[in-house]
């Protein structure tokens, strides 16, 4: 390959791939990790990190660990551990090892003692508020703790007593001794350990001191032999501290991991903060972590998103070092694109208007056949019962129609999907003048696919329908965006992100559906023709079908790209 081709190939790689390709020239091992804290459910932003860490490991014949950074027992739970494992597997990935930061508590404690012995850590009795007040500002140096220059022996004794439970919560902390005048606030004697009297989901009550994330994270990477510690950009300012700990713990001959940062994934019309998502759940603005309006992976799964669509979305977003907000329409485009190839088509009527075909034999019924998926040449045809009385959508008829309305009107013709051409002859109204029924005639020679000249006759519109005597009822949940504004967190002073909640983010209605989907299981995906993509909810049963709308058919993202 020529130098020019090599350069072109390198340009096509994103910056993390370029880093790895340079690194493997000296060390062929690629070991990554996905390190969530089990204090909530994963969201679409985590999906990007999952795809990057597992995807790069796979591309370079390496391995990826799933490590739970379980260092705060007051917020973590086995429920979150299990949900994270389920989400990672559902996205299509499998970890090499399942690990926990708590597996390393003894080693982390020993290393903390080593730092004390090196004069690089000390026990501080200042309160958290006092520590914050002494930290200074980015332009004003902080003040040293009055406990900073204790002897090694005293610090070792106090740290051991902290571990033995001799102090109350908040009475003291272990801090690294670095530089209180550093322009990087994270280097101003950061806290390494704090006291927590709480039951840990894995270690029980064995520990009452717990390492801070900044201390535990890099050392856990080191223990596991991670070669590339890949995280989002907000951790870039933490990198000097990550390196400082490793510099003073590892032997000079030992290889240490390198932290590299990429832009996190931000979506408009939603929030990604775990704290704010938790608030939505706890204050019951949504119906749990897997509410289909939530940006959680479990919520997207319940709504009908596929793992392929999410992976494709992450791929389209790309990997960069520049933060930006991604249009949720791109995510919707990706699921629409994936479902279009895969799922069967069915007919469902959500706002029914009864239509009687007056010249169709009164007790006759026939079976018509529809294409399950026109995008799949191997998809089978489905049987659709047809009869004299059918339901159509109310929106497919107008009595006083404007010029560009091409659906059914008095005296007008339309084709019934997979069936016949009909003509509206009469409009039946109740005493208040509301339209309650249409009387139509049909052309028996116009049956779709029959090969007659009449069947080839063109009319201006084709509409969907269901047979009244064969249709089944189902609950339909129409989901919209959870927030009314693109950036709910960009609030005016004194405003709250909750004020931007969309009061119409969920509409619950009903529909008449064709019998081919009358007994489908939870998780079944299909397209309601001319309406959108739907998925049966996890609570759906044969006696009470519940369909969640995944996404409408209208693709605003593609439309914008083609302008």
């Amino acid at each position: 390959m020529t130098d020019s081709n090599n350069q072109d190939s390198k340009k096509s790689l994103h910056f993390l791939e370029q880093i790895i390709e340079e690194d493997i020239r000296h060390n062929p091992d690629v070991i990554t990790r996905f390190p969530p804290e089990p204090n909530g459910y994963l969201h679409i932003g985590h999906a990007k990190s999952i795809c990057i860490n597992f995807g790069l490991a796979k591309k370079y014949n390496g391995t990826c660990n799933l490590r739970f950074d379980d260092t705060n027992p007051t917020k973590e739970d086995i429920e979150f551990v299990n949900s994270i494992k389920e989400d990672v597997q559902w996205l299509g990935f499998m970890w090499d090892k399942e690990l926990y930061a708590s597996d390393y508590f003894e080693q982390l404690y020993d290393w903390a003692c080593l730092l004390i012995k090196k004069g690089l850590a000390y026990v501080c009795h200042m309160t958290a508020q006092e520590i914050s007040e002494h930290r200074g500002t980015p332009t004003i140096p902080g003040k040293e703790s009055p406990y900073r220059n204790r002897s090694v022996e005293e610090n070792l004794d106090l740290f051991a007593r902290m571990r033995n439970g001799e102090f109350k919560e908040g009475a003291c902390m272990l801090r690294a001794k670095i530089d209180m005048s550093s322009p990087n606030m994270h280097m101003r004697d950061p806290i390494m350990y704090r006291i927590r009297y709480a039951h840990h989901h894995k270690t029980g009550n064995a520990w009452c001191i717990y390492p801070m994330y900044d201390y535990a994270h890099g050392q856990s990477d080191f223990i596991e032999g991670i070669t590339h510690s890949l995280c989002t950009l907000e951790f870039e300012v933490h990198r000097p501290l990550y390196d400082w700990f490793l510099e003073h713990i590892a032997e000079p001959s030992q290889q240490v991991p390198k932290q590299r940062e990429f832009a996190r994934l931000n979506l408009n019309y939603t929030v990604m903060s775990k704290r704010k998502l938790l608030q939505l759940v706890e204050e019951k603005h949504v119906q749990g972590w897997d509410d289909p309006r939530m940006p959680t992976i479990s919520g997207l799964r319940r709504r009908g998103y596929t793992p392929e669509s999410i992976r494709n979305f992450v791929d389209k977003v790309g990997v960069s070092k520049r933060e930006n907000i991604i249009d949720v329409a791109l995510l919707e485009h990706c699921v629409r694109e994936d479902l279009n190839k895969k799922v069967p088509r069915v007919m469902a009527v959500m706002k029914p208007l009864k239509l009687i075909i007056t010249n169709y034999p009164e007790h006759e019924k026939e079976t018509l056949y529809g294409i399950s998926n026109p995008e799949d040449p191997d998809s089978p045809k489905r049987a659709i019962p047809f009869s004299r009385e059918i339901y159509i959508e109310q929106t497919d008829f107008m009595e006083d129609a404007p010029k560009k309305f091409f659906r059914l009107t008095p005296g007008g013709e339309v084709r019934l999907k997979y069936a016949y051409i009909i003509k509206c002859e009469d409009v039946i109204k109740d005493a208040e003048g509301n339209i309650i029924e249409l009387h139509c005639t049909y052309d028996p020679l116009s049956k779709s696919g029959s090969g007659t000249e009449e069947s080839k006759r063109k009319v201006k519109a084709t509409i969907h329908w269901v047979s009244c005597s064969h249709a089944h009822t189902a609950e339909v949940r129409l989901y919209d965006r959870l927030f009314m504004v693109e950036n709910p967190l960009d609030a005016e002073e004194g405003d709250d992100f909750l004020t931007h909640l969309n009061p119409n983010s969920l509409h619950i209605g009903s529909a008449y559906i064709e019998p081919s989907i009358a007994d489908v299981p939870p998780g079944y995906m299909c397209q309601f023709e001319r309406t959108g993509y739907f998925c049966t909810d996890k609570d759906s049963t044969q006696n009470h079908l519940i369909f969640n709308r995944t996404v409408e058919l209208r693709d605003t993202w593609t439309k914008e790209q083609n302008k």
Side-chain angles (χ1 to χ4, degrees):
M1 184 180 288
T2 65
D3 289 342
S4 174
N5 287 337
N6 273 322
Q7 289 175 0
D8 290 342
S9 176
K10 193 166 186 177
K11 284 181 182 177
S12 67
L13 302 173
H14 59 68
F15 79 97
L16 291 178
E17 291 171 327
Q18 292 180 25
I19 289 171
I20 292 176
E21 296 219 346
E22 180 63 29
D23 290 343
I24 60 178
R25 293 171 57 192
H26 311 287
N27 177 10
D29 293 332
V30 175
I31 306 173
T32 63
R33 81 291 168 271
F34 175 61
E37 182 182 0
N39 63 349
Y41 282 64
L42 299 182
H43 55 61
I44 187 67
H46 294 110
K48 179 176 181 179
S49 184
I50 291 169
C51 291
I52 287 174
N53 278 285
F54 283 91
L56 287 174
K58 181 177 181 180
K59 177 174 181 176
Y60 293 102
N61 298 315
T63 58
C64 183
N65 295 337
L66 174 62
R67 181 178 74 240
F68 294 96
D69 273 331
D70 54 344
T71 57
N72 188 353
T74 61
K75 294 184 178 180
E76 297 158 357
D77 195 273
I78 192 67
E79 172 193 351
F80 300 132
V81 169
N82 291 334
S83 72
I84 288 168
K85 289 160 64 174
E86 180 183 4
D87 288 346
V88 172
Q89 288 180 301
W90 178 79
L91 277 172
F93 301 104
M94 192 62 204
W95 48 91
D96 184 60
K97 297 174 183 175
E98 180 183 325
L99 302 166
Y100 297 78
S102 56
D103 294 338
Y104 315 133
F105 278 178
E106 194 67 48
Q107 178 64 77
L108 293 172
Y109 177 84
D110 290 344
W111 277 332
C113 291
L114 174 64
L115 291 175
I116 292 174
K117 291 173 184 177
K118 289 184 173 184
L120 298 174
Y122 63 97
V123 174
C124 179
H125 287 277
M126 296 171 68
T127 64
Q129 183 177 345
E130 289 171 334
I131 290 174
S132 178
E133 291 170 352
H134 276 64
R135 187 158 278 149
T137 71
T139 56
I140 301 175
K143 297 177 183 178
E144 292 186 356
S145 165
Y147 308 100
R148 197 173 194 264
N149 296 312
R150 280 174 160 159
S151 68
V152 168
E153 292 73 22
E154 186 179 5
N155 280 316
L156 286 173
D157 176 65
L158 288 168
F159 190 44
R161 290 170 61 192
M162 283 176 60
R163 176 176 180 172
N164 293 335
E166 296 183 26
F167 299 102
K168 294 180 180 179
E169 283 194 20
C172 51
M173 306 173 190
L174 184 71
R175 298 175 67 182
K177 186 189 292 187
I178 308 179
D179 182 1
M180 289 302 293
S181 63
S182 172
N184 185 333
M185 300 291 285
H186 295 281
M187 301 296 283
R188 295 187 183 182
D189 290 12
I191 298 167
M192 293 172 59
Y193 273 88
R194 76 286 206 205
I195 299 169
R196 288 282 187 275
Y197 293 105
H199 183 84
H200 189 279
H201 72 95
K202 198 162 185 290
T203 62
N205 298 315
W207 291 85
C208 63
I209 58 171
Y210 290 91
M212 299 295 288
Y213 171 87
D214 274 334
Y215 173 61
H217 184 70
Q219 281 52 259
S220 299
D221 284 347
F222 179 46
I223 292 169
E224 293 172 18
I226 302 302
T227 58
H228 298 85
S229 182
L230 309 176
C231 54
T232 47
L233 272 179
E234 65 264 34
F235 292 101
E236 186 173 31
V237 71
H238 296 247
R239 195 204 296 180
L241 182 56
Y242 180 98
D243 293 340
W244 186 89
F245 280 126
L246 291 174
E247 177 188 347
H248 294 288
I249 285 172
E251 296 295 331
S253 61
Q254 291 179 299
Q255 182 173 333
V256 296
K258 294 180 180 179
Q259 179 177 302
R260 293 293 181 266
E261 307 84 16
F262 55 88
R264 64 184 297 170
L265 195 157
N266 299 299
L267 272 183
N268 60 7
Y269 295 100
T270 190
V271 295
M272 295 292 198
S273 161
K274 272 189 182 179
R275 181 172 57 84
K276 287 181 169 54
L277 293 177
L278 177 62
Q279 184 179 349
L280 290 172
V281 173
E282 289 184 336
E283 295 180 5
K284 301 189 183 304
H285 299 290
V286 294
Q287 298 166 357
W289 286 98
D290 66 346
D291 186 302
R293 292 167 291 182
M294 291 279 273
T296 54
I297 294 175
S298 56
L300 292 167
R301 178 166 63 243
R302 185 174 178 182
R303 187 160 173 168
Y305 276 75
T306 62
E308 294 84 359
S309 66
I310 294 176
R311 295 199 304 265
N312 188 36
F313 169 67
V314 170
D315 187 55
K316 285 182 182 294
V317 168
V319 179
S320 70
K321 295 202 71 169
R322 183 172 62 87
E323 293 279 14
N324 59 354
I325 297 178
I326 305 301
D327 190 345
V328 70
L330 174 58
L331 177 61
E332 294 167 345
H333 163 79
C334 288
V335 72
R336 202 179 278 114
E337 187 177 53
D338 190 47
L339 293 176
N340 181 53
K341 302 171 190 172
K342 296 178 177 177
V343 302
R345 276 55 168 164
V346 299
M347 291 193 288
V349 173
M350 287 188 278
K351 292 183 178 180
L353 173 60
K354 192 172 184 179
L355 185 153
I356 298 176
I357 304 172
T358 55
N359 64 332
Y360 192 88
E362 192 167 346
H363 299 292
E364 185 172 324
K365 293 177 175 60
E366 64 179 300
T367 301
L368 305 176
Y369 292 91
I371 300 170
S372 288
N373 187 341
E375 300 296 319
D376 179 5
D378 297 323
S379 66
K381 290 189 175 182
R382 69 186 195 275
I384 307 170
F386 183 79
S387 63
R388 186 172 188 261
E389 297 183 0
I390 63 174
Y391 292 122
I392 66 169
E393 292 284 355
Q394 292 176 14
T395 53
D396 281 336
F397 174 79
M398 285 189 74
E399 188 173 21
D400 299 309
K403 189 174 182 180
K404 292 188 177 181
F405 184 80
F406 298 125
R407 284 162 281 173
L408 194 58
T409 57
E413 290 184 321
V414 296
R415 176 174 289 283
L416 297 175
K417 185 91 173 181
Y418 309 118
Y420 301 94
I421 294 173
I422 60 169
K423 180 179 181 181
C424 181
E425 307 287 357
D426 199 6
V427 180
I428 312 301
K429 301 180 181 180
D430 62 16
E432 286 75 38
N434 300 309
I435 299 172
I436 58 172
E437 196 172 279
L438 301 179
H439 288 181
C440 299
T441 56
Y442 86 117
D443 180 349
L445 298 178
S446 65
K447 182 176 179 180
S448 293
S450 63
T452 65
E453 287 302 314
E454 278 296 294
S455 70
K456 299 173 185 176
R457 183 160 64 88
K458 301 294 183 184
V459 289
K460 289 186 176 180
T462 299
I463 64 174
H464 65 279
W465 53 274
V466 291
S467 167
C468 293
S469 59
H470 298 90
H472 292 251
T473 57
E475 179 181 319
V476 176
R477 298 173 180 174
L478 303 179
Y479 292 99
D480 201 348
R481 291 165 187 176
L482 189 55
F483 292 93
M484 296 180 293
V485 297
E486 287 199 35
N487 187 356
L489 301 182
D490 189 18
E492 296 181 5
E493 188 174 351
D495 204 357
D496 186 273
F497 81 106
L498 295 175
T499 63
H500 300 301
L501 280 169
N502 179 4
N504 300 311
S505 62
L506 170 60
H507 172 75
I508 299 177
S510 61
Y512 287 110
I513 59 173
E514 66 174 68
S516 67
I517 55 169
D519 58 356
V520 293
Y524 176 84
M525 300 174 185
C526 62
Q527 182 197 106
F528 286 2
E529 298 203 49
R530 301 176 64 228
T531 304
Y533 293 96
F534 288 77
C535 171
T536 42
D537 189 73
K538 68 176 186 178
D539 296 329
S540 182
T541 67
Q542 288 188 7
N543 295 325
H544 183 67
L545 283 172
I546 304 171
F547 283 90
N548 298 328
R549 183 173 66 189
T550 306
V551 67
E552 295 179 279
L553 290 181
R554 185 166 52 99
D555 190 342
T556 57
W557 185 81
T558 298
K559 185 177 179 181
E560 286 296 317
Q561 303 310 302
N562 292 333
K563 278 186 177 179

